[in-house]
Amino acid sequence: MQRTVLITTYLLLVSLPLLASWYYVGQPRIFWQELGSVLGILSFAMILSEFVLSGRVKSFSRKVGMDTTMRFHRIIGWCALVAALIHPFLYSSTPTTGPWPWDSTRQYAVTAEFTAISTGVLAFVLLPVLVVLAVWRSSLDYHYETWRRLHGLIAAALVGLLLHHTLTAGRYAANESVAVLWQILSFVALLTLIYRYFIAPLFQVSNPWRVSAIEKLSNKQWKLSLEPEGGRAMDYQAGQFAWLKLRHSAFSIRENPFSIASAPAQGSEISFVIKELGDFTSTLGSISVGERAYIDGPYGSLTVDGRSEPGIALIAGGVGIAPMLGIASQLQLTNDPRKLKVIYANRSQEQIVCREQLDAVDTLYVLSEPSQEWVGGTGIVDQQLIESSFTQEQFDSWLFVVCGPVPMMDAVWAALIAKGVPQERILLERFNYD
Ligand SMILES: Cc1cc2nc3c(=O)[nH]c(=O)nc-3n(C[C@H](O)[C@H](O)[C@H](O)COP(=O)(O)OP(=O)(O)OC[C@H]3O[C@@H](n4cnc5c(N)ncnc54)[C@H](O)[C@@H]3O)c2cc1C
């Protein structure tokens, strides 16, 4: 239901410029030309919507989840690209005509004016570049931050180019109301960038955090704890995540998302369980207590607050245990009456973290490369393991929360669906947007 409402709202918003164009200008034209305009208009509107979809709107991310938002962001990116690439070719079947004095809305003219066309051509080239750089980011060997900078800059340039192209070449945009609408929408899109990189950091500067503890949990995993300098706690729900800036100014583009591994009921200090992976995470060993940090959050919908299911299954692989630790703590500290079962998969015993806390609840540890002395579960988290871990009654009524490596999440998802668990009772968080 919520999904239908959100998709309908999105479609209506994206169609707004098209509806305004038809309302203010009307007049059906040659079919292929009309289709060309429709695709051009929709493509530009979708590109503008991408700014909001990737703009970390907290309430939106709490409802929909960053995962879903980013997947939608990618799908819309492809749709906008296809529409944009087809759009100019649909005009070529009709003769190009210059603007006539009696045709103030340029209804019957396809402009051939160089400046109007040139910005469209530039955008036509830039848009595929933007998509290719994003889709093949991990195969193209360059820094994540470099990609983010490029992505933002190209996207902002596209807005400028497309706005100019629409206002000068677009026949519907010759109408003043339609033109004003495009300008407002473009401004809102760019405002999300301004908010993200200039206004939000101002709030972070006024609410800094300090490293209160750093602890090595395993060969490659760390627990990093932070406390608010001014004592103002973050208003979050267990299982959510935040973007962390450490050793960089609040205005820096260098920030990393991490699930909050602590619970609101534990007080104002928050902690993260972080696995060494790349540039930032491999510096954790050199971080000292007292260093200043900035936090942007909370985000995400991996939370069990407000859910009415009688039981909760937390299924984690590796560092995917981080949000589960927060959820389990919150349930314990608030004496939540819901039943709880944790499945925690790792390769070897040394990778298991926070065992004391997990031993206090019903936890099944699963190792794919167990030692001979190991007495817990063995193998990988697959359909068989999921089927043998829960009763049909639990499949029929519990909430399943899953976080871990993508193949594990896919396997768990398929196993749960096969056991009749509806999508609404499965919550997922991917640590990778690729
Ligand atoms: C919602 C979410 C929650 C996460 N929670 C945890 C957690 O609790 N514990 C944990 O260990 N890891 C978590 N991660 C993964 C963590 O963000 C990355 O491992 C970390 O950012 C890598 O940074 P790096 O500089 O060390 O590596 P890099 O070498 O810079 O990057 C390695 C890869 O990490 C990802 N990454 C890097 N920077 C970012 C960024 N700013 N935004 C999104 N992805 C990025 C990219 O896929 C990149 O290719 C989470 C990721 C997401 C999206």
Side-chain angles (χ1 to χ4, degrees), residues 137 144 255-259 273-275 277-278 280-281 322 431:
R137 176 178 66 76
Y144 184 83
E255 53 179 352
N256 299 78
F258 297 108
S259 297
V273 171
I274 301 176
K275 184 177 174 185
L277 182 77
F280 166 66
T281 49
F431 281 180

Side-chain angles (χ1 to χ4, degrees), residues 215-235:
E215 183 191 346
K216 190 162 190 168
L217 299 176
S218 74
N219 185 25
K220 282 197 173 269
Q221 293 173 95
W222 295 84
K223 181 175 176 182
L224 173 74
S225 302
L226 306 173
E227 58 190 10
E229 265 185 26
R232 206 173 115 206
M234 188 199 291
D235 180 17

Side-chain angles (χ1 to χ4, degrees), residues 5 16 33 105 113 122 125 168 186 226 255 258 318 432:
V5 171
L16 198 65
Q33 283 202 11
T105 62
E113 204 187 309
L122 269 176
V125 175
T168 50
S186 303
L226 306 173
E255 53 179 352
F258 297 108
N432 195 325

Side-chain angles (χ1 to χ4, degrees), residues 24-337:
Y24 286 112
V25 184
Q27 309 260 358
R29 289 166 287 161
I30 301 162
F31 175 77
W32 292 112
Q33 283 202 11
E34 190 66 20
L35 187 63
S37 299
V38 167
L39 291 181
I41 289 170
L42 284 179
S43 174
F44 187 20
M46 282 189 273
I47 289 167
L48 293 179
S49 77
E50 290 286 69
F51 285 79
V52 181
L53 285 175
S54 59
R56 296 193 208 167
V57 181
K58 280 187 188 155
S59 53
F60 192 61
S61 120
R62 195 172 284 199
K63 273 201 185 75
V64 185
M66 209 69 179
D67 235 29
T68 315
T69 314
M70 294 314 287
R71 232 175 301 145
F72 196 59
H73 177 79
R74 277 203 302 268
I75 294 171
I76 296 301
W78 279 114
C79 294
L81 177 68
V82 171
L85 293 186
I86 298 174
H87 135 90
F89 297 106
L90 294 174
Y91 297 113
S92 58
S93 57
T94 24
T96 302
T97 50
W100 292 297
W102 46 266
D103 180 22
S104 63
T105 62
R106 299 197 297 261
Q107 276 187 68
Y108 301 101
V110 175
T111 184
E113 204 187 309
F114 176 73
T115 48
I117 295 290
S118 62
T119 43
V121 172
L122 269 176
F124 187 87
V125 175
L126 266 188
L127 186 56
V129 170
L130 183 80
V131 174
V132 166
L133 286 180
V135 173
W136 285 280
R137 176 178 66 76
S138 29
S139 340
L140 303 165
D141 191 22
Y142 60 114
H143 283 275
Y144 184 83
E145 285 74 21
T146 311
W147 169 75
R148 253 185 88 180
R149 244 179 235 127
L150 266 178
H151 198 69
L153 284 174
I154 298 179
L158 270 175
V159 173
L161 292 170
L162 288 173
L163 183 63
H164 178 266
H165 177 62
T166 304
L167 296 183
T168 50
R171 289 165 299 163
Y172 282 121
N175 174 283
E176 204 179 318
S177 305
V178 177
V180 168
L181 179 65
W182 278 121
Q183 287 167 59
I184 292 173
L185 293 177
S186 303
F187 177 71
V188 171
L190 292 178
L191 202 61
T192 61
L193 282 188
I194 295 168
Y195 180 83
R196 170 85 2 249
Y197 295 110
F198 299 103
I199 302 174
L202 284 177
F203 289 114
Q204 290 158 25
V205 167
S206 62
N207 195 18
W209 294 68
R210 250 179 218 292
V211 175
S212 51
I214 175 91
E215 183 191 346
K216 190 162 190 168
L217 299 176
S218 74
N219 185 25
K220 282 197 173 269
Q221 293 173 95
W222 295 84
K223 181 175 176 182
L224 173 74
S225 302
L226 306 173
E227 58 190 10
E229 265 185 26
R232 206 173 115 206
M234 188 199 291
D235 180 17
Y236 70 99
Q237 293 179 354
Q240 288 194 286
F241 72 93
W243 259 271
L244 170 69
K245 280 179 201 156
L246 198 54
R247 292 190 165 163
H248 294 290
S249 119
F251 293 90
S252 167
I253 197 166
R254 292 184 177 272
E255 53 179 352
N256 299 78
F258 297 108
S259 297
I260 304 170
S262 51
Q266 288 172 313
S268 59
E269 183 181 70
I270 61 169
S271 56
F272 303 98
V273 171
I274 301 176
K275 184 177 174 185
E276 288 182 20
L277 182 77
D279 296 349
F280 166 66
T281 49
S282 53
T283 66
L284 283 167
S286 64
I287 283 162
S288 345
V289 169
E291 284 193 45
R292 180 167 279 190
Y294 298 101
I295 288 197
D296 179 21
Y299 293 95
S301 61
L302 198 84
T303 102
V304 303
D305 292 19
R307 301 290 302 220
S308 57
E309 290 83 357
I312 296 163
L314 304 177
I315 305 170
V319 77
I321 196 66
M324 311 304 188
L325 291 168
I327 295 173
S329 297
Q330 183 72 4
L331 294 174
Q332 281 176 288
L333 291 169
T334 56
N335 294 321
D336 196 291

Side-chain angles (χ1 to χ4, degrees), residues 375-420:
V375 285
T378 55
I380 54 166
V381 183
D382 55 9
Q383 181 141 3
Q384 202 187 340
L385 188 125
I386 293 295
E387 281 180 8
S388 60
S389 303
F390 300 98
T391 63
Q392 191 56 50
E393 194 197 337
Q394 289 170 335
F395 284 123
D396 290 342
S397 58
W398 279 30
L399 175 66
F400 291 83
V401 187
V402 192
C403 185
V406 173
M408 186 209 94
M409 291 176 65
D410 290 345
V412 174
W413 170 269
L416 293 173
I417 296 290
K419 291 304 286 179

